[in-house]
Amino acid sequence: MSELDLRELNNTEFPIPADMQGNVAITSLSKLYNWSRRSSLWPMLFGLACCAIEMIATAAARYDFSRFGMEVMRASPRQSDLMIVSGTVTKKMVVPIVRLYNQMPEPKYVLAMGACASGGGPFKEGYNVVSGIDKYLPVDVYVPGCPPTPQALIYGMIALQKKIDGQSLANMDDVPWYGVGPAEPAPVPILGPDIIDPRQMDLIRRQAEMAAAGKTFAIRNLPEPIKVEKAAPKAAAAKAAVAATDDPAKAERLRKREEALARKRAAQGQNAPAAEPAGEAPTPAQAAPVAEAAPAEQGGKPKFDKEAMMAKIRAKKANKG
Amino acid sequence: MTDNAVVEQTDTNAAIAVLKEKFPDAIQDDTREGYQGIIVDKNKLVEVATAIRDELGFDYLSSATGVDYLGIGDHLEMVYHAYSTNGGPALVFKAQTPRDNAEIPSLIDVWPGADFQEREAWDLMGIRFSGHPNLKRILLWEGFNGHPLRKDWKEAYYEQDHKPFDSRWPGGHVYRAEERNVYGKNVAYPDDLDLSTLNDVSEESIYSGMGLGVSVQNLGNSEHLQTDRLIVNMGPHHPSTHGVFRMVVSLNGETIESLEPVMGYLHRNHEKIGERNTFLHNMPFTDRLDYISSMGNNHGYALAVEQLLSQGARWTPPTYRAEAIRVLMVELTRIVNHLWAIGFLLNDLGAFFTPALYAIAERERILDFFEATAGSRMMCNYMRFGGVFKDIPERIKSVANLVNDMVRDFNTMDYLTELINERLPRAVDELDQFLTDSEIIKTRTVGVGYLPPEMAIAYSAAGPLLRASGVPYDVRRADPYSIYPELDFDVAVRYNGDIYDRYLIRLDEIRESIRILKQILPRLERTHGENVFGPKQHTPRVPLGEAYGRVENPKGELGYYVVSAGDEKGPQNPWRYHVRAPSFINLTALGEMCKGHKVADVVAILGSIDIVLGETDR
């Protein structure tokens, strides 16, 4: 549902007297409630970095997001529904951001604008950069781009409107702000030697204890080069080559190579029997029947036959004519 | 209003000879390959600096920054670039200190403009400046572990010293850095972390900088505050701080007694990342410094690296067309920036967003041109070492501005001609007509935020802020680069040094830029078809040495200090990559300018400096 059409609303199962038609509209409370919320999304006037400039451009005359009911930028978090995190979130800045989020009244939404707010962006490796605001706050919509164009931001905000449309008053998970008691505030991080997330206090303490006990603790897992297993694809490729080739001399050559590889693997297997799974190295005896059977039975994709296809097309054309 | 100052340039070599005569023991030439200037004995640094300023006429400290030569001499070095406001090349002088207990005398008494730069060097490099009255961390917070720009300091997501990382190239096996970290975040704690005594001291030090002698804990206690003074925090979330800037203001009634800028809320580690990147990698990062004028940032960085590259054998300088396109782009950027600055100055004065809407209307036309040329509206990443990466297109297809679902299609030269000859002059005249004689604007701005010329020079103010105080210093004329010497334009100067003059000078500069652009158009026609990017060197081997490239960016003098060291064959990565950010250094004078004014004026004074936080915090 995106439009609230009053004429539509009058087409209900409830009989409306003729003299009251046009004066009474019947709808569900959820629809009306969502319609009013989605049509007056008030973003917080809150710019962080480069993306804020595009956010202002979105609000300016050319793109003009007030067409969608989003124009009332509020400087106070108490009056805003939507936090547009428009730019790089640094460790120093995430503390005020979380405080601002906690000051916003429910229902509240977060839109991560741009690469930095979504995941750190180009500055991700920086020592003072938080790799995405979602490490600290729940994010509803991510808008990619560096910076996103105004069109992209409007698209993101319309996506948020659609999300609101889908919420129902009947489902308590959709509207937790009507629950009992105050909502749990997002924990505000602390600026220590590095930024400290209160939710990770236990983990940090455990690591610190391990360090005090003199144990090597993986406070910083230095990356190791990732090793790519190349053996398996090679074997498969060789098998496929044996299967595909028509030239008997070539097939013989490939078969011999396959045999040699299998012997080598077997020798390695004797040295370290646990490391190699038995089924991985197919013997030539196993490989050969597969090679014969493959085109005929299992075949998978039959070979493209141009003649047959042309005949089919011609027949079709003839039928039409 | 313009000023044809008689330029009397100072000869650097003669100046060094004079210095050597005066301080025979304290000075020696910097003989390292590709380096320039002198190395000063740090114990004599203040005397030498005073002589440089007073006797030799190098009265303007452009840049002061530290370099960590770990493995190449194992010392820390402070590099100072002093210029004469009459124009001419730099006098570069350096002071060295061992890495342990690094200490260098502060030059804050000679040039107050060294204040923030020295605090930054302490924060990031760990050089202690004896005699600095307020040596606190400036970009990071008090209590942060270590000094990150030291070469042996590794960040949490550290992977390798230099890009391209082995994991990405040539295999391309990327993993998410979070997965390799125990905490799943960009954090690393020191081994001796003691959580029991952990308290957040980052705020306390800010207030102690006010000279009030109160701690945060006692602020609410009436026994300790027996005065009417009030501390007000403006920012980092404040609609008129132009981003995430924060000012801690001490008020007596509504009058400002002192103001302490607090920054670093957008410190995204440009320089550390820049040292890991290859030289070319840094080009898109420069876009994000002053994100309103990315073309100007590109130009400065290209100039710095080209200075180094020109020492090497395989180097062809940019073609004439490439230079003309660069000037075209930079001057358009200047117009964008000044329109933006004027619009948002009015915002700060309380005319909420209506003037800004008028001011940035023409900006969209310029951005359309940028998008058609470079592929992006704001982050253009357009210039390369030895030219620009692409010629301007034949036609501009304005996708964003659909009319009846039709993409608008223009001939580029017609589009530019109309823009430069008609639309932009009209937009400036419109602003001029609406704003210049406005009673409200005059009342709010005339005489407010006065910065006298001597102070502007001493505080290393740059750009419109300096020129509105009556100092006709413009890098395009004082230390010319590109094709500016052959272009006919005046250096805009105003003499009252208040907000009103800073507004007027921006109008003047837009008009001068339009004048330059009108001269660029026939040059573009003439050079049509010429190559714009000579050497296709995507990862250039840069000869050893240092370079300081500076341009007159819209916000002021933007400088890049680049050191190429380490690899004998010519490294691919800068050893040091420092940005002399005009927004950052212009803020040094903010406290002085605000003293005695009302709290509402602070916002306007800040708006008239025209800062952008991406550049302030880097």
Side-chain angles (χ1 to χ4, degrees):
Chain A
M1 189 209 80
S2 59
E3 290 289 323
L4 194 80
D5 190 344
L6 286 178
R7 280 165 307 183
E8 280 287 308
L9 290 174
N10 275 321
N11 293 333
T12 64
E13 56 195 282
F14 302 103
I16 298 176
D19 54 338
M20 286 185 69
Q21 276 190 4
N23 296 326
V24 173
I26 293 176
T27 181
S28 73
L29 187 55
S30 272
K31 275 186 183 173
L32 190 65
Y33 174 72
N34 287 341
W35 170 72
S36 68
R37 284 195 307 135
R38 53 106 68 194
S39 308
S40 60
L41 270 180
W42 290 9
M44 182 150 60
L45 183 58
F46 167 64
L48 288 179
C50 336
C51 288
I53 306 295
E54 284 297 64
M55 189 172 74
I56 294 168
T58 314
R62 191 182 196 180
Y63 298 98
D64 191 17
F65 63 12
S66 57
R67 292 176 290 164
F68 308 98
M70 307 154 177
E71 81 278 27
V72 194
M73 303 276 270
R74 298 277 83 187
S76 166
R78 308 272 186 207
Q79 300 169 336
S80 358
D81 307 309
L82 168 65
M83 176 188 260
I84 300 178
V85 184
S86 54
T88 314
V89 183
T90 63
K91 288 177 183 172
K92 207 170 171 180
M93 191 59 202
V94 75
V95 181
I97 291 176
V98 174
R99 284 209 192 107
L100 285 169
Y101 178 78
N102 285 339
Q103 288 176 19
M104 285 166 67
E106 294 274 14
K108 54 188 171 186
Y109 301 94
V110 177
L111 186 148
M113 179 182 181
C116 293
S118 303
F123 300 98
K124 179 170 179 172
E125 67 198 275
Y127 49 84
N128 192 29
V129 176
V130 172
S131 25
I133 188 63
D134 55 3
K135 297 278 184 294
Y136 292 91
L137 297 179
V139 177
D140 294 278
V141 179
Y142 297 87
V143 181
C146 188
T149 55
Q151 298 97 312
L153 179 61
I154 292 178
Y155 184 79
M157 291 177 75
I158 289 174
L160 180 63
Q161 288 187 331
K162 284 182 181 157
K163 181 172 183 173
I164 293 173
D165 285 338
Q167 295 182 329
S168 165
L169 277 174
N171 185 353
M172 219 33 211
D173 289 341
D174 282 356
V175 284
W177 50 89
Y178 291 125
V180 183
E184 198 69 26
V188 181
I190 305 159
L191 291 175
D194 204 330
I195 195 154
I196 293 172
D197 189 343
R199 292 169 298 189
Q200 287 186 328
M201 249 353 182
D202 282 344
L203 180 62
I204 297 167
R205 189 171 293 120
R206 213 158 55 233
Q207 298 280 16
E209 278 164 9
M210 280 170 74
K215 286 176 193 161
T216 49
F217 69 110
I219 200 105
R220 193 187 291 151
N221 269 3
L222 287 187
E224 299 141 19
I226 298 166
K227 288 184 185 108
V228 191
E229 288 298 329
K230 281 182 183 163
K234 239 185 197 171
K239 210 159 64 181
V242 169
T245 184
D246 299 333
D247 183 8
K250 199 176 176 190
E252 179 70 9
R253 213 163 51 237
L254 282 168
R255 200 180 54 76
K256 275 187 177 166
R257 191 168 151 230
E258 188 73 355
E259 267 180 282
L261 269 173
R263 271 202 302 278
K264 197 177 168 192
R265 251 184 241 121
Q268 279 172 351
Q270 279 169 6
N271 291 341
E276 199 76 31
E280 253 226 308
T283 60
Q286 280 173 334
V290 173
E292 282 163 16
E297 293 165 31
Q298 300 172 326
K301 214 172 168 188
K303 219 177 161 191
F304 179 69
D305 191 344
K306 197 179 171 190
E307 284 298 306
M309 187 58 82
M310 287 307 287
K312 247 187 196 176
I313 291 169
R314 255 179 253 126
K316 245 188 192 174
K317 269 189 184 167
N319 279 348
K320 264 189 187 172
Chain B
M1 206 186 292
T2 51
D3 197 351
N4 295 325
V6 182
V7 175
E8 189 183 299
Q9 296 195 345
T10 325
D11 183 12
T12 312
N13 289 333
I16 291 176
V18 173
L19 274 181
K20 275 185 184 160
E21 206 169 296
K22 194 152 190 264
F23 304 95
D25 303 333
I27 288 175
Q28 63 193 71
D29 281 323
D30 193 345
T31 52
R32 290 171 290 183
E33 186 189 340
Y35 284 67
Q36 49 174 325
I38 48 174
I39 299 175
V40 181
D41 181 8
K42 68 172 183 175
N43 299 319
K44 289 272 188 177
L45 183 65
V46 178
E47 287 94 326
V48 173
T50 314
I52 287 172
R53 181 193 67 180
D54 295 340
E55 294 166 32
L56 302 177
F58 290 90
D59 50 353
Y60 184 81
L61 179 71
S62 169
S63 152
T65 185
V67 189
D68 181 5
Y69 283 104
L70 177 67
I72 320 170
D74 283 323
H75 57 265
L76 292 169
E77 187 172 287
M78 276 301 283
V79 185
Y80 303 90
H81 285 80
Y83 286 88
S84 161
T85 42
N86 289 333
L91 179 63
V92 189
F93 59 103
K94 296 153 193 175
Q96 295 177 340
T97 175
R99 295 182 85 247
D100 302 327
N101 300 321
E103 188 163 356
I104 283 177
S106 170
L107 290 188
I108 193 168
D109 293 331
V110 188
W111 285 290
D115 182 359
F116 283 7
Q117 304 187 63
E118 285 180 347
R119 278 177 68 188
E120 186 196 327
W122 157 242
D123 188 357
L124 302 182
M125 201 67 80
I127 303 174
R128 196 172 280 284
F129 290 90
S130 47
H132 194 294
N134 188 21
L135 194 67
K136 295 182 306 195
R137 284 185 184 269
I138 187 164
L139 294 178
L140 293 161
W141 61 90
E142 214 57 49
F144 185 82
N145 176 36
H147 301 283
L149 275 188
R150 291 220 177 181
K151 286 282 176 188
D152 49 0
W153 195 95
K154 307 240 188 317
E155 55 268 54
Y157 282 169
Y158 172 78
E159 194 170 331
Q160 261 175 317
D161 274 338
H162 296 309
K163 286 179 190 167
F165 296 144
D166 290 347
S167 63
R168 322 285 166 89
W169 176 261
H173 304 290
V174 187
Y175 53 83
R176 292 174 73 234
E178 287 96 322
E179 288 156 14
R180 294 289 173 129
N181 191 297
V182 179
Y183 306 103
K185 286 191 171 74
N186 187 2
V187 290
Y189 304 103
D191 287 2
D192 53 350
L193 177 69
D194 186 2
L195 286 176
S196 60
T197 59
L198 180 77
N199 49 359
D200 193 339
V201 293
S202 56
E203 290 293 292
E204 207 167 329
S205 71
I206 292 166
Y207 296 106
S208 69
M210 304 298 293
L212 298 177
V214 293
S215 69
V216 190
Q217 278 77 16
N218 291 334
L219 268 180
N221 189 339
S222 59
E223 281 181 13
H224 291 271
L225 262 186
Q226 297 171 345
T227 166
D228 285 330
R229 275 193 293 186
L230 183 69
I231 295 179
V232 175
N233 262 304
M234 298 180 72
H237 164 64
H238 192 281
S240 53
T241 51
H242 296 241
V244 285
F245 182 59
R246 175 176 169 193
M247 292 168 284
V248 183
V249 189
S250 164
L251 293 177
N252 188 354
E254 266 203 52
T255 309
I256 290 153
E257 290 206 330
S258 71
L259 181 144
E260 165 99 359
V262 183
M263 50 191 97
Y265 291 95
L266 193 55
H267 176 49
R268 36 190 186 181
N269 330 127
H270 250 276
E271 296 180 4
K272 188 78 174 175
I273 296 175
E275 287 168 15
R276 302 243 187 275
N277 284 344
T278 64
F279 282 97
L280 190 59
H281 261 140
N282 278 334
M283 192 57 86
F285 281 85
T286 61
D287 288 339
R288 287 150 182 86
L289 282 169
D290 175 356
Y291 34 74
I292 298 170
S293 36
S294 65
M295 291 286 193
N297 306 341
N298 282 183
H299 198 189
Y301 181 59
L303 284 182
V305 179
E306 280 168 8
Q307 264 184 40
L308 284 170
L309 283 171
S310 64
Q311 307 298 318
R314 295 175 55 205
W315 169 247
T316 40
T319 58
Y320 190 85
R321 182 171 177 81
E323 294 282 17
I325 292 177
R326 280 182 178 184
V327 173
L328 169 80
M329 293 301 183
V330 168
E331 295 305 322
L332 284 174
T333 299
R334 194 182 313 278
I335 293 170
V336 167
N337 181 81
H338 284 342
L339 288 173
W340 190 272
I342 291 171
F344 283 80
L345 173 65
L346 266 289
N347 232 19
D348 295 342
L349 289 173
F352 209 57
F353 267 111
T354 309
L357 288 181
Y358 276 82
I360 65 178
E362 286 308 315
R363 172 180 183 260
E364 292 290 338
R365 307 277 299 187
I366 300 178
L367 293 197
D368 274 351
F369 171 60
F370 285 172
E371 191 174 12
T373 311
S376 177
R377 280 158 54 84
M378 279 169 65
M379 305 303 174
C380 299
N381 184 17
Y382 184 57
M383 300 191 192
R384 293 289 180 275
F385 313 130
V388 297
F389 91 88
K390 202 175 145 222
D391 206 338
I392 54 175
E394 288 296 318
R395 302 196 72 81
I396 294 177
K397 295 198 167 57
S398 181
V399 183
N401 209 359
L402 296 176
V403 174
N404 296 336
D405 283 341
M406 295 283 283
V407 174
R408 295 217 270 170
D409 193 357
F410 305 94
N411 179 298
T412 307
M413 287 314 287
D414 294 348
Y415 184 88
L416 282 178
T417 311
E418 192 206 353
L419 188 70
I420 291 164
N421 289 329
E422 287 166 37
R423 299 192 68 105
L424 289 175
R426 196 161 64 216
V428 184
D429 289 344
E430 190 183 55
L431 283 178
D432 196 358
Q433 187 190 344
F434 287 158
L435 303 177
T436 306
D437 292 327
S438 160
E439 188 65 36
I440 301 172
I441 289 174
K442 280 191 164 175
T443 319
R444 283 296 304 278
T445 59
V446 173
V448 178
Y450 176 59
L451 185 68
E454 311 79 45
M455 225 162 92
I457 295 172
Y459 274 95
S460 301
L465 181 65
L466 180 66
R467 289 191 290 273
S469 293
V471 184
Y473 188 74
D474 186 321
V475 183
R476 289 175 293 173
R477 279 280 183 251
D479 191 6
Y481 54 94
S482 196
I483 56 168
Y484 282 111
E486 63 172 71
L487 294 172
D488 180 29
F489 69 100
D490 293 321
V491 175
V493 194
R494 296 270 171 176
Y495 294 93
N496 294 324
D498 55 6
I499 301 179
Y500 189 63
D501 270 20
R502 278 173 226 142
Y503 152 71
L504 287 176
I505 203 162
R506 293 203 164 90
L507 284 183
D508 294 345
E509 286 196 6
I510 296 176
R511 293 203 165 107
E512 291 301 326
S513 286
I514 293 173
R515 207 171 136 192
I516 295 174
L517 289 171
K518 282 180 179 165
Q519 300 167 53
I520 289 292
L521 282 177
R523 285 172 165 79
L524 286 178
E525 299 273 11
R526 206 172 63 219
T527 59
H528 185 81
E530 203 175 294
N531 203 358
V532 291
F533 186 21
K536 294 270 181 196
Q537 276 184 293
H538 291 293
T539 48
R541 291 268 173 198
V542 178
L544 298 184
E546 62 171 2
Y548 184 64
R550 55 182 199 148
V551 287
E552 186 66 37
N553 226 31
K555 304 231 162 27
E557 177 189 331
L558 174 73
Y560 290 88
Y561 179 68
V562 183
V563 175
S564 167
D567 192 347
E568 280 301 316
K569 282 179 287 184
Q572 295 179 10
N573 308 72
W575 182 266
R576 180 83 174 93
Y577 162 72
H578 172 71
V579 185
R580 184 251 190 243
S583 299
F584 176 64
I585 295 167
N586 284 354
L587 281 172
T588 321
L590 179 69
E592 287 300 317
M593 279 155 68
C594 288
K595 245 173 221 170
H597 289 296
K598 302 289 184 225
V599 69
D601 294 329
V602 172
V603 172
I605 293 171
L606 183 71
S608 75
I609 298 178
D610 183 21
I611 60 164
V612 63
L613 264 292
E615 190 179 66
T616 307
D617 295 341
R618 281 154 292 149

